[in-house]
Amino acid sequence: MSSATADPLPCQGRYSAQSGDVTLSADGMVYLDPRNRHEGTVDLTYDGCDRITVAGHGMRMQITRSATSGWTGTLAGGGATRIFHFNAVTPRLIGSWMDAFGGRVTVQRGMKLTLLKGTEHQPVDCVFDADRQNFSRENAAARAFMAAQGLVPPSSDFSLQDYFRAADVENRTQTESRKGSARHIRFMLGDDGAMLPVARAAVRFREICRAEAGTLAPPRRMLDFKIVPIENPDGYTIFARVIDIETGNIIAQREGHVIGTGAEAITLAMQDGAAQLIGDGVTFGPLSDGVAR
C-alpha cells in the first residue's frame, strides 16, 4: 500500500489556470504575485489511480501520486530540470509550484488551477474512503471536536467526515524554513463562515466534480489545525489558524497545548485553540450543504 497522504483527490476535467511567480508556498498551498499573471486552461485526465496527464497552458506532462504528499511531474529543457508539485486544496482547486535546477532559473513559478467543468465520468474507483495512511486518531479527534462545538450535518445525506480532511503535509518548498512534515486537520469555510462538505467520500466526490461552475459555494477560508508533537512530557501544541485561501494571509492564529497523545488530547487542544479564536471574534459553522445561494 502506498504511503501517499490523504490530500483531496483532484477532479478530472478542464481547469482555468493562472500562472506567475510564487510569493508564498507553505503547508501545500500556493499564492501568486498578482503582477504578471498569465491566464489559460489545462485539462487533467487520469491514466490509472496514480497518474494524471496535464495538458495545456504551453505544456504536456504526466504527474504521479507522490509517496509523501500530492502529485509530482518533471519537464526538462533549456538546460534546466523543472519539477512540478501539485496539491489539491479541494477537489476543484489545485495549487502547483515548480522547483528548477540548472539553466540559471532563480524565480519559483507556480499555478493556481480552478475547475471549469468536470468530465461526466470521474475516477471514483480511485477514491479511498479509508485513508492510505493511518489518520484514525486525527479523524476521531476531529469528529469529537465537531460534536463538542454542536456542529450537526444539515441532513442525513451528510456525515461529519464530509467536512474535514486530515493530512500529513510535507514542507518542501523553497520559501519554507522548516523541513519535514506536520499533520493537519482542515475545514473549508464559505463566505459566511459556514463549513463546506468538500471531503472526498466517493459519492460526494462525484457530485462535487460534476457540479456546474457557480452552483457550489466556493471555499474562502481554511480553518487549519496544525498538530505539532512535544516531548517531556509527551503531548501536542496545536496551531489553530484561519487562512485566506486567495491571498495566503493568516487572518487569525492561536495555540492550544495539552499533555497526552491520544485522540482525546488532540480534541482538547483543538477546543483550546478554537476557543481563543472565537474570543478574537472568529466565527465558523454551521455545517452547510455546500450549495451556492
Side-chain angles (χ1 to χ4, degrees), residues 160-268:
L160 294 180
Q161 193 75 32
D162 292 332
Y163 292 88
F164 69 89
R165 178 56 53 184
D168 191 350
V169 179
E170 182 181 5
N171 299 327
R172 63 182 176 189
T173 57
Q174 291 178 2
T175 56
E176 290 174 330
S177 59
R178 179 184 179 273
K179 299 301 179 181
S181 65
R183 291 205 165 184
H184 295 248
I185 297 173
R186 290 173 163 174
F187 302 84
M188 295 297 171
L189 309 179
D191 288 314
D192 55 358
M195 291 182 167
L196 304 177
V198 296
R200 64 174 189 177
V203 173
R204 186 66 191 157
F205 175 77
R206 183 188 293 112
E207 293 173 353
I208 290 172
C209 293
R210 291 166 63 176
E212 293 294 328
T215 60
L216 297 180
R220 301 299 188 189
R221 297 177 177 180
M222 175 190 292
L223 175 61
D224 176 51
F225 294 92
K226 184 175 183 178
I227 304 166
V228 179
I230 58 175
E231 298 178 344
N232 298 320
D234 291 343
Y236 298 104
T237 293
I238 291 188
F239 297 90
R241 308 182 294 180
V242 178
I243 302 171
D244 186 290
I245 290 177
E246 177 64 28
T247 65
N249 292 334
I250 297 177
I251 299 169
Q253 176 171 293
R254 289 291 188 171
E255 296 181 23
H257 306 273
V258 69
I259 303 302
T261 58
E264 297 84 358
I266 295 176
T267 299
L268 288 174

Side-chain angles (χ1 to χ4, degrees), residues 113-161:
L113 309 180
T114 304
L115 185 68
L116 295 172
K117 186 174 181 58
T119 58
E120 178 67 21
H121 300 289
Q122 291 293 326
V124 293
D125 292 341
C126 302
V127 176
F128 301 98
D129 292 341
D131 295 317
R132 288 185 161 198
Q133 284 190 346
N134 182 6
F135 291 101
S136 58
R137 179 175 53 190
E138 288 78 13
N139 290 340
R143 289 191 295 267
F145 167 77
M146 296 173 74
Q149 297 294 319
L151 296 168
V152 179
S155 74
S156 59
D157 294 332
F158 300 91
S159 69
L160 294 180
Q161 193 75 32

